[in-house]
């Protein structure tokens, strides 16, 4: 379990022990051409449009609806005449992920989990809007046994093929129409075992429940979904577990848990759009505490019994750091904040929406700062394609440097310089602007991504950099984003041509020239 992503900042805030553990990148296989392929056209369109108006950003701070999000999503393969929804949403690096032909608006998940038998039983209702005429469409589902599918209440036939659940409704769904598909299913969930340096993720059963962390495509291990971040939706969860256990999902509880015949049902609602990889149904024996931050934001924290001693600290730090980030990044996007420490020793953390989860360790403030920064960068503003992952991890890593600055434990500049000094670092061979499917969470995406932001800050100055960050989170709140949109906004706000800077830092193999100045 080597770690990679954090700057060796001085003092106890060094957070390098709890990053997602991946082996450091060693193979510089991304070529210049490869890294640039497919980007130049949209770059041009976006740069021109933003120069003239703000066509790349939703106007007037409007909430981006799922269908608007789909408009910036990769084009779905297939012709307009086809009435078969595509088996993938069009991510060039993850061609089977997600599905084409519709946009999900809402997931209503009724789930029951029995840790003793490890059996999950679910009924998922997915409300969606057709983006083409559909005689059949897919959902993503990994393992589990489907017993029944209905579309708008009528029986639908279905078929399984690898991780695709292919559904044929009784009658054709017309383009633009809303429909509801209900899938009843059960079985013992199997997590994903990914070869791409990701280890195990998805629904992972534990001694007393489940540890559920789904980035990038593990939501399909526990519910049928359009499992790709370019199709965000709102969620309702009703999770039933044996009495004495706690079920934790995203958003807020919509009532007090109900116990009947030895089982307790927890109802949670995430009313803001959420990517499937940020959904969770973590369950087990937990100590729970709720509170309110100084700025009045509700906080929910839960820790496994063995982390009982960290409960108060997690509550306090989470409130403090969420409040602080809202002064730096712009208003907090969700209705509550929080965190979960499970005793499953994953060794990593994930930024589950409203409730980051820490797998088997008590997080240092720098890690909490990282995961809470993701609430803006990743959760509220969500990438459209996985290759733009630096927009999540580069920003969250940079947030750790900002946290160090804020707490007087180092500067972003010293973190940058320390990394820059190592000319032999393999990250110089990996342009982070094109995160690789076979090494998605590589060190370059985190560290060189953060360095890109620092190079930008030095180039445009703090008086443009911080307003840019707030304009970014404001323009795309709850939406989907691309790197080209960020570059265009940075150029607009700074009034500078920044193409050379971003090209060198994000898209070229090799160590960029040193920053000007001391
Ligand atoms: N995004 C996580 C972070 O904060 C890392 C991560 C990627 C992860 N995939 C995961 C964590 C799967 C848990 C499970 O850096
Ligand atoms: Zn992260």
């Amino acid at each position: 379990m080597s770690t990679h992503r954090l700057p060796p900042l001085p003092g106890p805030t060094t957070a390098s022990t709890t990053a997602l553990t991946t082996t450091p990148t060693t193979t510089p296989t991304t070529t210049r051409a490869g890294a640039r392929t497919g980007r130049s056209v949209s770059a041009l369109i976006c740069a021109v449009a933003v120069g003239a108006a703000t066509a790349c950003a939703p106007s007037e701070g409007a909430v981006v609806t799922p269908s608007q999000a789909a408009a910036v999503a990769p084009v779905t393969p297939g012709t307009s005449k086809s009435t078969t929804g595509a088996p993938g949403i069009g991510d060039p690096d993850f061609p089977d992920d997600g599905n084409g032909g519709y946009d999900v608006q809402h997931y209503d998940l009724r789930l029951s989990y029995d840790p003793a038998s490890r059996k999950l039983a679910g009924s998922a209702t997915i409300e969606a809007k057709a983006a083409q005429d559909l005689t059949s469409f897919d959902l993503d589902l990994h393992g589990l046994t489907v017993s029944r599918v209905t579309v708008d209440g009528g029986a639908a036939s279905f078929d399984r093929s690898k991780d695709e659940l292919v559904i044929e409704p009784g009658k054709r769904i017309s383009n633009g129409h809303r429909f509801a598909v209900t899938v009843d299913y059960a079985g013992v969930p199997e997590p994903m075992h990914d070869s791409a340096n990701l280890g195990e993720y998805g629904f992972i059963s534990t001694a007393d429940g489940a540890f559920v962390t789904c980035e990038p495509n593990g939501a399909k291990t526990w519910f049928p979904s359009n499992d790709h971040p370019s199709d965000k939706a709102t969620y309702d969860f009703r999770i039933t577990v044996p009495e004495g256990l706690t079920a934790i999902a995203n958003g807020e509880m919509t009532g007090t848990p109900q116990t009947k015949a030895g089982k307790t049902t927890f109802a949670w609602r995430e009313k803001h759009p959420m990517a499937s990889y940020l959904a969770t149904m973590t369950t087990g024996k937990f100590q729970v505490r709720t509170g309110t931050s100084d700025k009045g934001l509700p906080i929910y924290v839960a820790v496994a019994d063995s982390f009982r001693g960290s409960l108060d600290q997690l509550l306090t730090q989470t409130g403090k750091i969420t409040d602080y980030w809202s002064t730096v990044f712009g208003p907090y996007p969700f209705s509550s904040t929080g965190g979960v420490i499970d005793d499953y020793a994953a060794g990593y953390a994930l930024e589950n929406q409203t409730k980051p989860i820490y797998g088997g360790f008590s997080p240092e403030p720098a890690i909490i700062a990282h995961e809470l920064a993701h609430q803006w960068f990743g959760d509220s503003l969500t990438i459209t394609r996985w290759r733009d992952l630096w927009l999540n991890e580069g920003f969250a890593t940079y947030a750790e440097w900002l946290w160090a600055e804020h707490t007087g434990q180092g500067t972003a500049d010293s973190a940058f310089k320390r990394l820059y000094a190592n000319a032999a670092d393999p990250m110089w061979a990996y342009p982070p602007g094109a995160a690789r499917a076979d090494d998605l969470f590589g060190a370059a995406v985190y560290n060189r991504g953060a360095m890109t932001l620092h190079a930008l800050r030095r180039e445009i100055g703090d008086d443009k950099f911080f307003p840019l960050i707030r304009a970014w989170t404001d323009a795309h709140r709850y939406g989907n984003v691309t790197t080209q949109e960020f570059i265009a906004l940075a150029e607009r706000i700074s009034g500078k041509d920044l193409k050379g800077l971003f090209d060198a830092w994000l898209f070229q193999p090799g160590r960029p020239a040193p920053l000007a100045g001391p």
Side-chain angles (χ1 to χ4, degrees):
M1 300 273 265
S2 65
T3 61
H4 64 267
R5 75 174 163 77
L6 293 158
L9 285 171
T13 60
T14 300
S16 56
T17 50
T18 46
L20 170 72
T21 53
T22 67
T23 37
T25 307
T26 48
T27 41
T29 54
T30 308
T31 62
R32 180 182 175 190
R36 303 284 294 172
T37 300
R39 313 191 64 88
S40 48
V41 172
S42 64
L44 197 64
I45 292 168
C46 232
V48 169
V50 166
T54 53
C56 285
S59 55
E60 329 293 356
V63 170
V64 177
T65 65
S67 55
Q68 281 173 294
V72 291
V75 176
T76 301
T79 68
S80 55
K81 278 180 217 124
S82 169
T83 60
T84 303
I89 205 165
D91 189 318
D93 305 302
F94 292 84
D96 298 334
D97 284 10
N99 307 285
Y102 62 91
D103 287 311
V104 178
Q105 326 276 311
H106 185 74
Y107 290 93
D108 190 353
L109 305 178
R110 287 160 194 248
L111 301 146
S112 168
Y113 186 62
D114 175 40
S117 64
R118 302 192 159 192
K119 265 198 150 176
L120 177 73
S123 178
T125 296
I126 296 137
E127 293 166 27
K129 190 176 170 194
Q132 63 176 71
D133 287 353
L134 288 171
T135 51
S136 83
F137 63 91
D138 287 13
L139 289 167
D140 301 310
L141 186 65
H142 178 77
L144 303 164
T145 302
V146 174
S147 54
R148 181 165 172 264
V149 178
T150 63
V151 175
D152 290 334
S157 58
F158 60 92
D159 211 345
R160 304 293 299 272
S161 151
K162 289 199 200 143
D163 287 356
E164 302 291 333
L165 169 63
V166 183
I167 296 170
E168 257 185 61
K171 53 177 195 258
R172 166 198 293 242
I173 301 165
S174 301
N175 186 14
H177 280 232
R178 285 168 189 269
F179 62 99
V181 48
T182 299
V183 179
D184 295 339
Y185 60 101
V188 175
E190 287 168 22
M192 305 292 290
H193 302 274
D194 202 280
S195 53
N197 279 351
L198 291 168
E200 206 173 44
Y201 61 95
F203 189 107
I204 299 169
S205 54
T206 61
D208 61 356
F211 176 81
V212 183
T213 51
C214 299
E215 190 179 18
N217 51 14
K220 63 185 174 190
T221 64
W222 59 284
F223 65 100
S225 57
N226 197 16
D227 198 5
H228 190 274
S230 59
D231 190 1
K232 298 170 75 166
T234 53
Y235 285 71
D236 268 299
F237 306 85
R238 288 174 60 83
I239 308 168
T240 302
V241 291
E243 185 175 1
L245 302 189
T246 302
I248 303 160
N250 313 85
E252 296 81 47
M253 274 205 261
T254 56
T256 44
Q258 301 293 316
T259 300
K260 227 177 24 202
K263 291 182 174 196
T264 306
T265 300
F266 293 78
W268 291 90
R269 173 172 297 158
E270 176 49 67
K271 63 183 179 194
H272 302 288
M274 177 165 76
S276 53
Y277 78 88
L278 298 167
T280 191
M281 61 162 291
T282 295
T283 51
K285 254 189 127 328
F286 284 99
Q287 304 284 324
V288 174
R289 187 141 303 170
T290 58
T292 311
S293 77
D294 290 345
K295 285 178 173 257
L297 190 67
I299 312 171
Y300 176 103
V301 293
V303 304
D305 280 341
S306 50
F307 291 93
R308 178 187 292 266
S310 300
L311 186 59
D312 289 332
Q313 253 237 29
L314 182 64
L315 181 88
T316 314
Q317 294 287 343
T318 295
K320 236 176 64 171
I321 296 172
T322 306
D323 280 354
Y324 177 63
W325 284 152
S326 73
T327 71
V328 178
F329 303 144
Y332 181 70
F334 308 123
S335 301
S336 63
T337 185
V340 178
I341 308 177
D342 203 349
D343 53 9
Y344 173 76
Y348 52 63
L350 183 68
E351 62 267 24
N352 288 337
Q353 191 155 310
T354 68
K355 285 174 203 69
I357 185 163
Y358 308 93
F361 63 94
S362 182
E364 298 164 12
I367 297 293
I368 301 174
H370 177 113
E371 304 308 332
L372 290 175
H374 274 307
Q375 302 303 308
W376 285 260
F377 310 110
D379 296 12
S380 174
L381 278 67
T382 302
I383 54 178
T384 310
R385 298 172 294 222
W386 285 109
R387 65 172 62 171
D388 288 355
L389 186 64
W390 84 279
L391 290 173
N392 292 6
E393 301 304 346
F395 278 65
T397 302
Y398 198 63
E400 292 178 46
W401 303 2
L402 293 174
W403 182 254
E405 245 170 45
H406 174 63
T407 54
Q409 290 170 290
T411 64
D413 212 54
S414 62
F416 176 95
K417 286 191 170 114
R418 197 173 295 109
L419 287 165
Y420 189 80
N422 183 6
D425 194 317
M427 77 175 162
W428 303 123
Y430 185 146
R436 286 165 24 186
D438 66 349
D439 190 12
L440 200 54
F441 297 91
V445 172
Y446 286 74
N447 288 334
R448 201 172 144 181
M451 293 176 84
T452 302
L453 289 172
H454 193 65
L456 173 66
R457 179 180 171 191
R458 288 273 303 265
E459 177 66 27
I460 69 178
D462 284 12
D463 59 326
K464 297 283 190 210
F465 180 79
F466 290 101
L468 163 63
I469 298 303
R470 287 189 286 272
W472 177 239
T473 63
D474 183 54
H476 299 282
R477 181 167 303 140
Y478 309 132
N480 283 98
V481 290
T482 65
T483 298
Q484 297 310 333
E485 289 171 330
F486 182 68
I487 294 173
L489 188 64
E491 290 193 324
R492 187 153 66 88
I493 286 188
S494 68
K496 284 190 162 189
D497 179 350
L498 300 166
K499 286 175 199 66
L501 183 151
F502 283 110
D503 189 49
W505 279 96
L506 292 178
F507 299 118
Q508 298 301 327
R511 182 168 167 249
L515 304 187

